[in-house]
Amino acid sequence: MVIEQDVKTSDGRTLRTYDSGGGETDGLTVVWHHGSPQTGVPLEPLLTAAAARGIRLVSYGRPSYGGSSPLPGRNVASAAADVERIADALGVGSFATMGASGGGPHALACAALLPDRVTGAVCLAGIAPYTRDFDWYEGMASPGGLRSAADGREARELYAATDEFDPASFTSEDFAALAGTWSSLGEDAGKAGQAGPDGLIDDDVAFATAWGFDLAEVAPPVLLVQGSRDRVVPPAHATSMLAGLPRAELWVRPGDGHVSVLDACPVAMDWLLARR
């Protein structure tokens, strides 16, 4: 049974959290960082994989998602303080962290800024910090949101007023995953979208501007997982992060896109267990 709980931050905000552990503290705890947009409700395939491995899965809605309060001007690094508050409230000491797509950078933020608590991090299809070392937008089927976000929140808000999902962003493997194993992801993303664009806007602005930490600060071991056919976050982003992270390895999954790469989550959890 997943326990839903609101955690208060020191500045009075609310973070909507989900805990599969029922208060148990034995074994590995994994904090999951959701994609953009999602509500933070843990997805069924993640809960199943975690339960099979005796992992306590904790997730939460980032600010402006799924009942969590807004945090105007947040950057990627802001996630670390929120996760630290959640871990304290749930009685979690050390933990591993995982994130997919828009959740990936936030998982890395926790690894960078909470090195005494994070035992390892997994970043699946995660976007890299903005850089001019390569064409950051090349290979993205629909980069308009991030391009506008680089000009600030107002520009991203204007883009959101007319933005529509581009089906070319997903491969046939992605659509098959959404129709099958990962159908809960599509349903949850739809709920997040119906609640309004603020969370996604804030995410994009955070990704396209300074993150608030450097990849070189990430001391725990990191696993990067990347689909070779990803049209949302192209493989060059994983390669760039691999070069910048001190203790990272990269798994490239041939033929996978942005959603189908999530099939690697169970073996990625095994990787985290081995580094506990």
Side-chain angles (χ1 to χ4, degrees), residues 140-166:
M140 295 183 184
S142 184
L146 289 168
R147 287 188 184 276
S148 64
D151 293 326
R153 197 179 197 284
E154 184 177 353
R156 184 60 181 86
E157 287 177 335
L158 288 172
Y159 183 85
T162 58
D163 184 28
E164 294 183 1
F165 173 71
D166 182 356

Side-chain angles (χ1 to χ4, degrees), residues 34-40 64-66 160 163 165 185-201:
H34 63 77
S36 309
Q38 287 181 252
T39 67
S64 295
Y65 283 120
D163 184 28
F165 173 71
L185 185 153
E187 294 165 1
D188 186 71
K191 291 178 182 177
Q194 290 170 8
D198 282 348
L200 177 58
I201 290 170

Side-chain angles (χ1 to χ4, degrees), residues 125-206:
I127 197 166
Y130 180 79
T131 177
R132 294 185 178 179
D133 292 342
F134 68 99
D135 186 344
W136 199 67
Y137 302 104
E138 185 177 7
M140 295 183 184
S142 184
L146 289 168
R147 287 188 184 276
S148 64
D151 293 326
R153 197 179 197 284
E154 184 177 353
R156 184 60 181 86
E157 287 177 335
L158 288 172
Y159 183 85
T162 58
D163 184 28
E164 294 183 1
F165 173 71
D166 182 356
S169 298
F170 288 165
T171 66
S172 57
E173 290 81 6
D174 290 332
F175 284 112
L178 288 168
T181 303
W182 293 97
S183 60
S184 56
L185 185 153
E187 294 165 1
D188 186 71
K191 291 178 182 177
Q194 290 170 8
D198 282 348
L200 177 58
I201 290 170
D202 288 341
D203 273 353
D204 278 357
V205 173

Side-chain angles (χ1 to χ4, degrees), residues 93-104:
S94 63
F95 57 92
T97 186
M98 287 180 78
S101 186

Side-chain angles (χ1 to χ4, degrees), residues 30-53:
V30 173
V31 176
W32 175 261
H33 299 261
H34 63 77
S36 309
Q38 287 181 252
T39 67
V41 173
L43 303 174
E44 189 57 41
L46 298 173
L47 289 168
T48 299
R53 290 160 175 79

Side-chain angles (χ1 to χ4, degrees), residues 36 88 179 183 198 209 251-252 263 275:
S36 309
D88 289 346
S183 60
D198 282 348
T209 54
W251 293 354
V252 177
D263 286 339
R275 284 150 185 85

